[in-house]
Amino acid sequence: LVCVVSYGVILPKSFLKIPPLGCINVHPSMLPKYRGPAPIQRAILNGDKETGVSIMYLDAGMDSGDVILQEKVEIGDDETTGELWNRLSGIGARLLTKVVKNIEDISICNLTSKDVVRHPLVQRIVKAYEEYESKNDTKGDRFKDKRRK
């Protein structure tokens, strides 16, 4: 199994055929909306009220593979791109963990987005990022956009 996160490059078909369990991607939008680059920025700039995270199989196209799992979230009226990125990153990590743990089970599509997998590795990553964020005061303010009401 190969996992990528917002990779932005179309992998060759010859590579996609190698992993026995396929290749999957974490994409910060409710695919098929905002396929391709900058989905978080486009959601903010377009004044969307909701977005989400999709876990999908990679194929020969740009973010065009089969969606395995999605979770939808509301976008706050004053939420910045940086803040939304931080929130979607945590959701993406949680969903990716769930998919990886269940990749051989065809019923993965029947799991609800409310099921939470508390994998120790994910918890360590989230904790390390929160520590980094608190030390560096990274709140995403430089990306703040005025939202259309």
Side-chain angles (χ1 to χ4, degrees):
L1 179 65
V2 171
C3 303
V4 296
V5 179
S6 300
Y7 190 56
V9 174
I10 296 176
L11 296 170
K13 287 181 188 178
S14 58
F15 178 82
L16 296 175
K17 292 178 183 178
I18 295 172
L21 297 175
C23 302
I24 59 176
N25 179 38
V26 180
H27 186 79
S29 80
M30 292 298 290
L31 289 170
K33 191 169 187 178
Y34 299 132
R35 282 188 171 133
I40 297 171
Q41 294 85 341
R42 289 189 284 160
I44 294 285
L45 290 172
N46 289 334
D48 292 359
K49 297 296 180 190
E50 61 185 24
T51 189
V53 175
S54 300
I55 309 292
M56 43 144 326
Y57 282 106
L58 293 175
D59 66 9
M62 178 61 75
D63 300 324
S64 60
D66 292 336
V67 173
I68 302 167
L69 188 61
Q70 291 182 308
E71 184 170 322
K72 189 182 294 187
V73 298
E74 290 185 17
I75 301 173
D77 288 338
D78 295 320
E79 192 164 19
T80 65
T81 356
E83 292 164 344
L84 184 56
W85 184 89
N86 290 341
R87 198 156 54 97
L88 294 178
S89 295
I91 293 167
R94 179 172 45 81
L95 295 181
L96 180 61
T97 300
K98 181 188 300 183
V99 169
V100 168
K101 288 183 101 172
N102 295 284
I103 196 70
E104 293 179 349
D105 181 2
I106 194 77
S107 68
I108 183 69
C109 295
N110 296 326
L111 295 175
T112 67
S113 61
K114 298 296 179 188
D115 296 332
V116 178
V117 175
R118 296 288 183 203
H119 192 280
L121 178 58
V122 172
Q123 296 305 310
R124 286 196 310 266
I125 292 168
V126 169
K127 183 179 178 186
Y129 183 80
E130 288 171 348
E131 289 172 2
Y132 169 82
E133 186 178 53
S134 67
K135 289 177 185 173
N136 294 293
D137 192 30
T138 56
K139 300 296 183 212
D141 292 332
R142 68 187 187 120
F143 297 106
K144 189 162 187 155
D145 298 307
K146 296 297 180 197
R147 303 188 54 72
R148 291 189 284 248
K149 302 286 182 193

